[in-house]
Amino acid sequence: MYAGPTGIVLLTDRRVARRTLVDVVAGAVGGGVRWVVLREKDLPRAERLALAADLRAILAEACGTLVVAGPDPLDGDAVHLPAAGPYPPPAVGLVGRSCHDAAELARLTTEHYATLSPVYETRTKPGYGPPLGPDVLAALVKASPVPVLALGGIETPAQVHACVAAGATGVAVLGAIMRAQNPTETATTLGRAFQESATATTGEAQ
């Protein structure tokens, strides 16, 4: 049974956050987020390790999980790897991989989930070509050997609905929550959209 990220998954970026990452993550968790991917890969390991410990403490109170971007789990058991490597993935409890097309999905081996991006235009990572859009996302979800998180430019409930309708198991969000005046409110709004969509999709499948 799949035990990886689902719902609204928060990716961190302290450069665009309106407050400290700890404050933003705490707010998002208060709004229902239970999965957080710690990026900040430019920080020295000691600083990143301390930040991971702080974020894990926040998530632990809500039975949430911290996933660390890169092969070093920072004393945890969950990592999210770039498309470029390493291959094979490290043997930790949970492994995700960033993918952008069918060829990268085909390279997956023991990963538990993948992100597909960019679904929409994104200010954070504009360098990965044109947006996939919901139709291409749906086709790639069908081709994927693992559950997929939609990523890239997802900022509105309508976009969340479209991603879930395309088959995404979760929706990964960065800017919408990092830049939010009220991370709790934004997380709640997007999370409600995900739950509504997931419920509707389950009902249609039955």
Side-chain angles (χ1 to χ4, degrees), residues 143-159:
S144 176
V146 296
V148 165
L149 308 183
L151 168 64
I154 301 165
E155 300 186 351
T156 68
Q159 290 172 324

Side-chain angles (χ1 to χ4, degrees), residues 5-39:
T6 186
I8 301 300
V9 180
L10 175 61
L11 277 64
T12 72
D13 188 337
R14 70 189 189 283
R15 289 188 173 86
V16 302
R18 285 180 177 266
R19 309 176 200 168
T20 68
L21 280 187
V22 169
D23 285 347
V24 174
V25 169
V29 170
V33 167
R34 294 297 177 262
W35 293 89
V36 175
V37 179
L38 172 61
R39 295 166 74 243

Side-chain angles (χ1 to χ4, degrees), residues 1 22 37-38 43-44 49 57 63 65 80 82 97 99 118 127 131-132 160 165:
M1 182 166 173
V22 169
V37 179
L38 172 61
L43 287 177
L49 186 64
C63 297
T65 302
H80 185 89
R97 174 88 66 184
C99 294
L132 299 171
V160 172

Side-chain angles (χ1 to χ4, degrees), residues 20-94:
T20 68
L21 280 187
V22 169
D23 285 347
V24 174
V25 169
V29 170
V33 167
R34 294 297 177 262
W35 293 89
V36 175
V37 179
L38 172 61
R39 295 166 74 243
E40 321 309 324
K41 291 193 276 187
D42 59 312
L43 287 177
R45 188 181 188 277
E47 285 184 38
R48 210 164 167 243
L49 186 64
L51 184 54
D54 288 343
L55 299 187
R56 280 195 189 100
I58 293 167
L59 284 157
E61 292 185 11
C63 297
T65 302
L66 184 72
V67 181
V68 177
D72 179 358
L74 298 175
D75 291 348
D77 199 35
V79 297
H80 185 89
L81 305 172
Y87 291 93
V92 297
L94 180 72

Side-chain angles (χ1 to χ4, degrees), residues 140-195:
L140 290 172
V141 167
K142 286 181 181 176
S144 176
V146 296
V148 165
L149 308 183
L151 168 64
I154 301 165
E155 300 186 351
T156 68
Q159 290 172 324
V160 172
H161 286 305
C163 290
V164 177
T169 300
V171 175
V173 173
L174 192 154
I177 292 177
M178 285 285 130
R179 297 186 182 98
Q181 292 278 9
N182 187 330
T184 302
E185 188 176 286
T186 300
T188 300
T189 298
L190 296 178
R192 186 179 299 122
F194 180 89
Q195 291 301 330

